[in-house]
Amino acid sequence: MKFNEYISTHHVFGTEALLEEADSRSAARQQLKEAAAKGAVARVRRGLYVSNAPRFADSGVDPYEVVSALDPDAVLSYHSALEAHGVAHNMGFECRFRTGVAKSPFSFGSIRYIPHPAEGGVPRQRVRGRATGTVYVTTREQTVFDCLKHPEWAGGIEEAVRSLSALPYLDSGKAAGLALADSASMAARVGWLLEAKSEDWRVPPEVLDLLRSASAGVASKLDKRAPSSRGWAKGWSMCLPDTEEEVASWVM
């Protein structure tokens, strides 16, 4: 494929993907260098570019396109997963994803891209991007686990709870299984949220019983980074970052 044809049909692309379709690899390398100098393409990071061909002139850069072009197996995670599932309470300017391709954060436009180590077997599903194509995102259950384990990567504990509770449904057994395999603290956090949403999510009592049993006798925190505790979830032996009434109001 001719270079100009390629950048007219591929909005975000990797150097290797370009070279694989080029009529001449050496010529394509030189044309890419010249195009970058002229502004016909913009460098996102090493080996990753955005085309500024006329057909893309009025379209912004979809972060999902960037992530997918960087690594087709990347998995949107944490707050980015909340956004992909359509439940984020606030929109962010970070795009977090699991990948084995990149290790260092990078920025393009107004978005900060933050890679996390890839984890084999992390539950994932495909979602359609805002512009084109699809990308992987953690499942609802994995997203609940992730955001309660690391609320600092999900916009903070209030943002995490408000967003997670907006999920229309999830498999409470799978969510509980992830927590039970981790720690007593995670059993308490996930159990607390499942109990708060038990009616909407149709959480079986036996699932809550398992989580209570796993967290019994261990004092934990809903937000591990909270400087102080202002409330107490008695049924879960868990400190809350604000009063019980205030934290309860975060649940949609």
Side-chain angles (χ1 to χ4, degrees), residues 214-238:
S215 61
V218 179
S220 58
K221 286 185 173 184
L222 179 60
D223 182 0
K224 62 185 177 183
R225 294 194 171 191
S228 61
S229 298
R230 300 186 60 196
W232 177 255
K234 183 177 179 180
W236 300 99
S237 299
M238 187 171 65

Side-chain angles (χ1 to χ4, degrees), residues 60-106:
V61 179
D62 183 350
Y64 297 0
E65 286 186 279
V66 173
V67 170
S68 184
L70 174 67
D71 177 9
D73 290 320
V75 184
L76 296 174
S77 304
Y78 306 105
H79 197 272
S80 297
L82 296 174
E83 294 180 43
H85 283 299
V87 296
H89 188 251
N90 294 302
M91 299 306 291
F93 294 94
E94 294 181 343
C95 184
R96 294 181 179 271
F97 55 100
R98 288 173 164 95
T99 180
V101 172
K103 294 183 179 180
S104 301
F106 59 94

Side-chain angles (χ1 to χ4, degrees), residues 43-45 105-109 111-113:
R43 184 178 183 273
V44 178
R45 69 184 295 275
F106 59 94
S107 297
F108 186 78
I111 304 297
R112 179 74 167 164
Y113 294 87

Side-chain angles (χ1 to χ4, degrees), residues 78-89 125 127 137-148 154 159-172 174-175 178 190 193-194 196-203 250-252:
Y78 306 105
H79 197 272
S80 297
L82 296 174
E83 294 180 43
H85 283 299
V87 296
H89 188 251
Q125 64 185 79
V127 293
V137 61
T138 49
T139 61
R140 294 178 180 85
E141 297 78 22
Q142 182 68 41
T143 302
V144 166
F145 175 83
D146 284 348
C147 293
L148 292 181
E159 171 72 5
V161 171
R162 286 185 181 278
S163 301
L164 292 171
S165 65
L167 287 167
Y169 64 91
L170 54 74
D171 187 322
S172 59
K174 290 182 179 179
L178 292 169
V190 172
L193 182 61
L194 290 182
K197 294 289 294 183
S198 59
E199 184 174 345
D200 292 339
W201 291 344
R202 298 182 181 180
V203 181
W250 299 347
V251 180
M252 307 292 283

